[in-house]
Amino acid sequence: EREGRGPVFLFFSVNGSGHFCGMAQMLNGVDYQASAGVWAQDKWKGQFKVKWIYVKDVPNSQLRHIRLENNENKPVTNSRDTQEVPPEKGKQVLKILHSYKHSTSIFDDFIHYEKRQEEDEVRKPAPNNGNGGGGGNGGNGGNGGNGGGRERRDEREGGRDGRDDRRDDRRDDRRDDRRDNRDNRNRDNGDARDNRENRDNRENRDNRDNRESGNRGENRERGEGGNRKEGEK
């Protein structure tokens, strides 16, 4: 129980699966001294017992309308690990999990995962007990070597994570640069269009002024010619 306020229930969803796969009750606190040995990377510590209540695939589309006010009002289907679900929203999720008529469950995949686990066990290297090192001290040295190997592996993984972050940053920078270049091109095109329009307007004005000046000159000439004819008469 959590601080004397009742049992804790956990909703489970496999990342990228598109559905929730069940609900379980947490039976005890986390034992950080225990290790489950089921992780691909040997850096997750601790375990606790659960009692499964529902094991069924429920599509995200059935739950997406439930939004969590303690997670920026995002749908419950957008939750990350350990996201707390408020009691009223948890009851809504539970009601849908209970009533949904499912056709598949994670049990359907057990044969596949058990086979993969057996293959991983076969590929796993035999532990180095340091027998070639000469006695007990050699054994301790062997164990220390394994620990060092794990540390080096963790360092490599940390380096990969850092490279991935830098790669994401560079990708974001390139995207921003492209957006800035598009904005600059649009501004340049707008300026050029404005210049063309201004030049066209000036040319049209000049042509109109020239035509009007020509018409005024012709009218004067016709008027003077008429006056000369009347004088001759």
Side-chain angles (χ1 to χ4, degrees):
E1 293 187 357
R2 183 179 175 222
E3 300 175 1
R5 291 188 292 180
V8 176
F9 296 97
L10 306 171
F11 300 116
F12 288 84
S13 174
V14 177
N15 187 33
S17 66
H19 56 255
F20 277 67
C21 58
M23 187 187 82
Q25 179 181 349
M26 191 172 177
L27 296 181
N28 63 294
V30 181
D31 180 3
Y32 290 101
Q33 303 303 317
S35 180
V38 298
W39 302 107
Q41 297 178 1
D42 186 21
K43 60 181 181 179
W44 309 109
K45 303 299 180 184
Q47 65 180 26
F48 57 89
K49 295 181 180 180
V50 299
K51 175 185 176 183
W52 285 96
I53 300 173
Y54 294 105
V55 179
K56 60 197 314 190
D57 291 344
V58 180
N60 287 348
S61 58
Q62 299 292 316
L63 301 162
R64 193 170 287 125
H65 64 282
I66 301 175
R67 295 180 173 271
L68 306 184
E69 59 271 21
N70 59 340
N71 189 28
E72 301 178 356
N73 209 37
K74 293 179 181 178
V76 67
T77 53
N78 285 28
S79 301
R80 293 181 175 273
D81 287 346
T82 72
Q83 170 64 50
E84 183 176 359
V85 181
E88 289 305 317
K89 300 301 174 65
K91 291 177 183 177
Q92 295 179 34
V93 175
L94 175 57
K95 185 176 180 180
I96 294 172
L97 285 179
H98 173 75
S99 59
Y100 184 78
K101 303 298 182 183
H102 69 290
S103 58
T104 59
S105 76
I106 199 171
F107 289 140
D108 301 330
D109 303 323
F110 269 25
I111 295 176
H112 167 75
Y113 287 115
E114 287 175 354
K115 182 178 179 182
R116 254 183 54 176
Q117 185 174 357
E118 292 174 359
E119 293 173 352
D120 290 341
E121 291 293 334
V122 171
R123 286 197 298 266
K124 189 179 295 184
N128 182 7
N129 294 324
N131 292 331
N137 290 334
N140 291 335
N143 290 334
N146 288 336
R150 278 196 299 273
E151 291 173 0
R152 286 192 296 274
R153 186 168 65 249
D154 290 341
E155 289 174 358
R156 287 197 299 272
E157 290 164 356
R160 273 199 300 274
D161 293 340
R163 285 196 297 275
D164 291 340
D165 291 340
R166 289 194 296 273
R167 192 177 302 115
D168 291 339
D169 291 340
R170 286 196 298 271
R171 189 161 52 243
D172 292 340
D173 291 340
R174 285 196 298 271
R175 191 161 51 241
D176 292 339
D177 290 340
R178 286 195 297 271
R179 189 181 302 115
D180 292 340
N181 290 334
R182 280 198 302 272
D183 293 341
N184 290 332
R185 282 198 300 273
N186 290 335
R187 281 197 298 272
D188 293 340
N189 292 334
D191 294 340
R193 188 165 53 251
D194 292 340
N195 291 333
R196 283 196 302 274
E197 291 174 354
N198 292 333
R199 187 166 59 250
D200 293 340
N201 290 334
R202 282 197 302 273
E203 291 175 353
N204 290 333
R205 245 190 336 267
D206 293 341
N207 292 333
R208 189 165 58 248
D209 293 341
N210 292 333
R211 284 196 300 272
E212 291 174 355
S213 298
N215 291 334
R216 284 196 298 271
E218 291 176 0
N219 290 334
R220 279 198 304 272
E221 289 177 359
R222 280 199 294 270
E224 292 173 355
N227 292 333
R228 279 198 299 273
K229 289 178 181 179
E230 289 178 358
E232 292 173 358
K233 288 179 182 178

